[in-house]
């Protein structure tokens, strides 16, 4: 299995929420294609987007179309062509509905443009494919929080805490939600849990 990743931050939320990255997943490419794929990646790194796009057009076929469309979406995003990027990511998802990479990219794109309902749709699809990854659960919770769906946000923050119960910042985050909902007893419960994990942290 061959795997290569390039990370390009779209949107930096808070220090304790995991960042979303564009992922280039090459596991479905044959070795003979790797040199061309590496050329695409290097051109994107160097901001040679037109050259990267030309290579995509050259090697695209029915066996790799969903992956090439994901690349095209990444290129479009970096060119500021957000509608084209969105369309390429969606088409990639439609070809292969369990291909997580374009779903992650759509989630990041929609979070960046504050289209939280759409972001939730795609992060839920990812979550349903893999319910055990803490970063996915955390991003799902955060999307619900920004969309003012606080019950769902609390639900998934707590699900994340079932995996990583020592994350004091998430305990504090839940406390803040309860505080903003005027539920001081519940808020204090979570604040104290976080404080007891690190009594030197003055932010808690």
């Amino acid at each position: 299995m061959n795997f290569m990743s390039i990370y390009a931050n779209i949107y930096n939320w808070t220090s304790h929420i995991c960042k979303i990255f564009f992922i280039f997943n090459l596991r479905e490419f044959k070795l003979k294609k790797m040199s061309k794929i590496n050329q695409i990646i290097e051109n994107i790194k160097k901001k040679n987007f037109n050259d990267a796009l030309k290579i995509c057009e050259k090697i695209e076929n029915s066996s790799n179309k969903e992956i090439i469309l994901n690349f095209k979406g990444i290129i479009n995003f970096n060119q500021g062509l957000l509608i084209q990027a969105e369309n390429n990511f969606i088409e990639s998802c439609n070809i292969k509905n369990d291909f997580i990479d374009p779903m992650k990219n759509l989630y990041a794109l929609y979070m960046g443009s504050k289209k939280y309902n759409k972001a939730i749709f795609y992060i839920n699809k990812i979550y349903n494919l893999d319910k055990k990854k803490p970063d996915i659960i955390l991003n799902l919770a955060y999307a619900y929080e920004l969309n003012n769906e606080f019950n769902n946000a609390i639900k998934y923050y707590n699900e994340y805490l079932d995996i990583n119960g020592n994350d004091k910042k998430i305990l504090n985050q839940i406390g803040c939600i309860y505080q903003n909902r005027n539920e001081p007893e519940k808020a204090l419960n979570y604040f104290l849990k976080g404080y007891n994990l690190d009594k030197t942290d003055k932010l808690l």
Side-chain angles (χ1 to χ4, degrees), residues 33 35 61 63 106 117 158 175-176 197 203:
K33 297 289 187 182
S35 63
N61 58 51
S63 67
L106 283 164
N117 281 325
N158 276 312
C176 288
L197 289 172
L203 294 178

Side-chain angles (χ1 to χ4, degrees), residues 92-133:
S92 176
C93 290
N94 289 340
I95 293 171
K96 190 171 183 182
N97 59 18
D98 62 349
F99 186 22
I100 288 178
D101 296 355
M103 296 182 208
K104 287 183 177 179
N105 294 336
L106 283 164
Y107 170 74
L109 190 153
Y110 291 137
M111 289 295 283
S113 58
K114 299 183 180 181
K115 296 177 181 178
Y116 300 128
N117 281 325
K118 290 184 176 182
I120 289 167
F121 175 80
Y122 284 101
I123 195 67
N124 256 314
K125 290 187 72 171
I126 297 169
Y127 171 79
N128 287 325
L129 290 169
D130 190 348
K131 296 184 177 183
K132 300 297 183 183
K133 286 192 174 180

